Amino acid sequence: MRETLRYLENVKEILKAAPIEDNSYADIKPVQEACATAYLAVLKAIDEYLLSRGLNKKELPRSVDGYRKALQKYLAVYDGKLLREFERLYDQLHIAGYYRGLLHNVDMVRDALKAAKAFIGKIG
C-alpha cells in the first residue's frame, strides 16, 4: 500500500500548485494530472490486492475491462458495491477529470478524491 499512498500524496502536491478562482480551478492541466494520478492510485491498490491473493504480475489486468472482471472475481464476494464504486471513479477521475478535463469545481474534485481514498481503504 505504500506505493498507493505515495500516489495519493502526489495528488495533494499537484493540486496545491493549481490556482483557484471562485471555488474553481483556473488551470485545468494540474487538475487533469491529479485526477489521472488518483485513478492510477486506485488501479495500484487493486493490483496490490490481487498480488496479495496470489496472482503474479503477468496476470494483473491490463484494461479497464480486466479490472472490472478482477473486481467481480476477487472482490465482489466481499462487497458487491465495490464494482459500482470503481465504475464511478472511472467515470469521475479518468473520463471526466483526466480525459475530458470537465472537473473544475474544487468541491467536486475533492469529493472525487475522497471517494478514491475511501475505495482504496476498503480494499487495502
Side-chain angles (χ1 to χ4, degrees), residues 3-4 7 39-49 67:
E3 185 72 7
T4 301
Y7 276 65
Y39 181 67
L40 287 173
V42 167
L43 298 182
K44 289 281 185 195
I46 296 169
D47 287 349
E48 288 177 18
Y49 176 83
Y67 281 97

Side-chain angles (χ1 to χ4, degrees), residues 4-40:
T4 301
L5 296 175
R6 188 170 73 99
Y7 276 65
L8 291 177
E9 285 301 315
N10 288 345
V11 169
K12 291 178 188 176
E13 292 302 315
I14 293 165
L15 288 177
K16 276 184 186 177
I20 298 172
E21 295 174 6
D22 299 324
N23 204 40
S24 291
Y25 288 102
D27 183 3
I28 197 64
K29 185 181 180 292
V31 176
Q32 286 179 290
E33 185 179 347
C35 288
T37 304
Y39 181 67
L40 287 173

Side-chain angles (χ1 to χ4, degrees), residues 55-112:
L55 273 71
N56 64 48
K57 287 187 178 191
K58 290 183 179 181
E59 295 172 309
L60 292 177
R62 296 180 184 265
S63 68
V64 70
D65 286 332
Y67 281 97
R68 288 177 181 126
K69 289 176 185 172
L71 286 170
Q72 288 173 330
K73 183 174 182 178
Y74 296 98
L75 286 158
V77 175
Y78 303 106
D79 187 351
K81 296 177 185 177
L82 282 175
L83 183 58
R84 287 191 301 275
E85 288 180 37
F86 175 77
E87 290 295 338
R88 282 193 292 273
L89 290 170
Y90 173 76
D91 288 343
Q92 292 170 356
L93 293 172
H94 184 65
I95 300 299
Y98 168 67
Y99 186 67
R100 302 244 167 122
L102 298 174
L103 295 183
H104 300 275
N105 182 277
V106 172
D107 296 329
M108 291 175 73
V109 172
R110 286 184 183 150
D111 287 345

